[in-house]
Amino acid sequence: MQTTLFSSIRANTVLLLSSMLLFTVGCEDEHDDDHLEAHGFILENAGEEVYRQLEGEVSGSVPSISVGETLELTVHFLDHDGDEVEHDEDHDEDEGSLSITVADASIATVTPEEHDDADADEHEMALEIVGIAEGSTSFTLALMHGEDHADYTATNSVAITVTAAGN
């Protein structure tokens, strides 16, 4: 009796684990083409790179702004080699949106903006930073896949410095 019970449990366990493995692999293959394989990003100010974060390594810095000033930065995601990842032409509205978390929104606000350049048929992402009060804060950046999960999350916070108006 005991041998039959263990054999039955083993057979059911093998069947359950095999089913779970096939389901998991099937779901991965189904969605892999929809995910952006980003390993970092750059921020550009008027076409000039000011900040780069690639696999945890950081170079550059966001220019300081004054209270009441607005700074717009374009965002470009990078692959493992540091090359820009191109967005798919069949871009879905729910995919590839930016999620931003600001450490202290009483110092500065950071909001995502999406720009569609009609002449270039290119989807461009941008951030708008507004200086609220003198001080320092930071933000983290994530590239969302729909509303359910991030395809990429920055490993480091990006520092922002806001100076007194007129400085």
Side-chain angles (χ1 to χ4, degrees):
M1 171 87 177
Q2 205 172 22
T3 305
T4 306
L5 179 63
F6 285 128
S7 296
S8 176
I9 290 173
R10 265 193 239 140
N12 287 336
T13 303
V14 168
L15 180 62
L16 178 64
L17 291 175
S18 298
S19 298
M20 288 173 54
L21 179 63
L22 289 174
F23 177 75
T24 303
V25 170
C27 286
E28 278 182 25
D29 291 342
E30 182 181 322
H31 298 294
D32 277 350
D33 293 338
D34 295 339
H35 292 257
L36 184 68
E37 288 293 324
H39 294 267
F41 66 95
I42 60 172
L43 300 176
E44 291 181 349
N45 181 12
E48 296 287 324
E49 181 180 315
V50 295
Y51 181 90
R52 174 182 290 256
Q53 189 175 128
L54 181 61
E55 296 182 339
E57 297 292 321
V58 173
S59 62
S61 62
V62 171
S64 61
I65 59 174
S66 299
V67 172
E69 185 180 5
T70 299
L71 175 65
E72 188 173 295
L73 301 172
T74 56
V75 180
H76 302 277
F77 289 92
L78 306 173
D79 65 14
H80 178 72
D81 297 322
D83 298 323
E84 185 175 346
V85 176
E86 297 297 327
H87 288 281
D88 189 5
E89 288 181 17
D90 299 326
H91 178 73
D92 185 355
E93 289 292 322
D94 292 337
E95 295 178 15
S97 62
L98 295 176
S99 174
I100 301 164
T101 305
V102 180
D104 187 349
S106 68
I107 303 290
T109 59
V110 183
T111 54
E113 296 197 348
E114 291 188 16
H115 296 244
D116 290 317
D117 186 350
D119 295 332
D121 284 332
E122 187 176 301
H123 176 77
E124 187 174 271
M125 293 183 188
L127 303 175
E128 184 177 86
I129 302 172
V130 178
I132 305 297
E134 189 175 1
S136 295
T137 188
S138 63
F139 68 92
T140 55
L141 180 72
L143 178 65
M144 300 303 292
H145 183 94
E147 293 182 19
D148 59 347
H149 70 276
D151 278 349
Y152 170 78
T153 302
T155 54
N156 301 303
S157 296
V158 180
I160 304 170
T161 302
V162 179
T163 60
N167 286 348

